[in-house]
Every structure is written in structure tokens, then in C-alpha cells.
Amino acid sequence: QVQVVESGGGLVQPGGSLRLSCAASGSIFRVKDMGWYRQVPGKERELVAAIDAGGKTNYTDSVKGRFTISRDDAKNTVFLQMNNLKPEDTAVYYCNAQVVLRYSGFNLVEWGQGTQVTVSS
């Protein structure tokens, strides 16, 4: 019914930049909160940044001043601009979208499949 697909990951040198994109599609009436999480092997998935339907943003302390989350509601898409990347940013990045389904009005939380970000020289 609903798909969430991330793109934009890859290998970058320390100090470099990447822009992640995440699009939600399907039987969607509207998208509420959207967020980016990341996970490394052996650790729990952590919130990186989130943005609500009104555009209010929230960041984990380690990325403040370096990462920027934004959204395009016309395309049900959320972006994560990552600047001054550090090796400790290496992880699989997952997108999360809270959607209201068309017709039923049910609320649903969907996750993307993840995209690898590797910061290394």
C-alpha cells in the first residue's frame, strides 16, 4: 500500500558531503512526521533528524550544525543534507514516514530499506 524508498548513500571522504532522499508513495492521503535514523552493527538504531508536518526540526546532538533535514510535501519526500561528514557518521541510514492512508484514514508508520553511508579516506 505504501512504499518508502531511500537514495543517495555512498562512499565519501571525511569532510565531504552527501544528500539523502526518501520518497513515500502509494495510497497516501498525507504524510505527517518524517525522520532519518541510522544504525551500525551491534548498536541500536538511533534518531538522526526528524521533521514534523509543520516543518519543525529536531537533531541529535552529534549532527547539529552539519546536517539539515527538509521536506517537499508536494512529492512526499524528505531530504537529509549531510556536510562535514566524519568517519563516525558511517552507518546504514533509514527513512521513516508516518502517513495517513487514503480512503481509510488509518495512520501507518513505514520504514525504508536503508542506504549505506561510508565516510573513509
Side-chain angles (χ1 to χ4, degrees):
Q1 253 183 333
V2 176
Q3 284 188 317
V4 174
V5 179
E6 304 103 333
S7 61
L11 173 64
V12 64
Q13 292 186 343
S17 298
L18 281 175
R19 181 177 170 88
L20 304 182
S21 299
C22 168
S25 62
S27 185
I28 297 173
F29 174 66
R30 68 183 181 98
V31 180
K32 298 165 73 175
D33 296 359
M34 302 185 84
W36 287 97
Y37 292 71
R38 64 187 179 189
Q39 189 170 23
V40 297
K43 292 190 176 182
E44 292 187 357
R45 191 174 296 185
E46 66 166 352
L47 175 67
V48 176
I51 184 167
D52 69 13
K56 183 179 179 181
T57 59
N58 179 42
Y59 299 92
T60 191
D61 286 345
S62 63
V63 308
K64 286 180 180 177
R66 300 188 297 123
F67 290 11
T68 302
I69 189 170
S70 60
R71 62 191 288 165
D72 181 344
D73 289 332
K75 298 180 180 179
N76 291 334
T77 299
V78 64
F79 306 97
L80 186 67
Q81 178 66 45
M82 305 185 292
N83 298 328
N84 191 21
L85 282 159
K86 304 176 180 181
E88 51 264 40
D89 294 318
T90 296
V92 178
Y93 283 71
Y94 296 91
C95 175
N96 169 286
Q98 300 176 18
V99 305
V100 179
L101 296 179
R102 191 178 301 164
Y103 308 123
S104 69
F106 290 157
N107 287 258
L108 184 68
V109 177
E110 281 291 339
W111 290 89
Q113 79 289 350
T115 184
Q116 177 71 45
V117 172
T118 302
V119 184
S120 175
S121 55

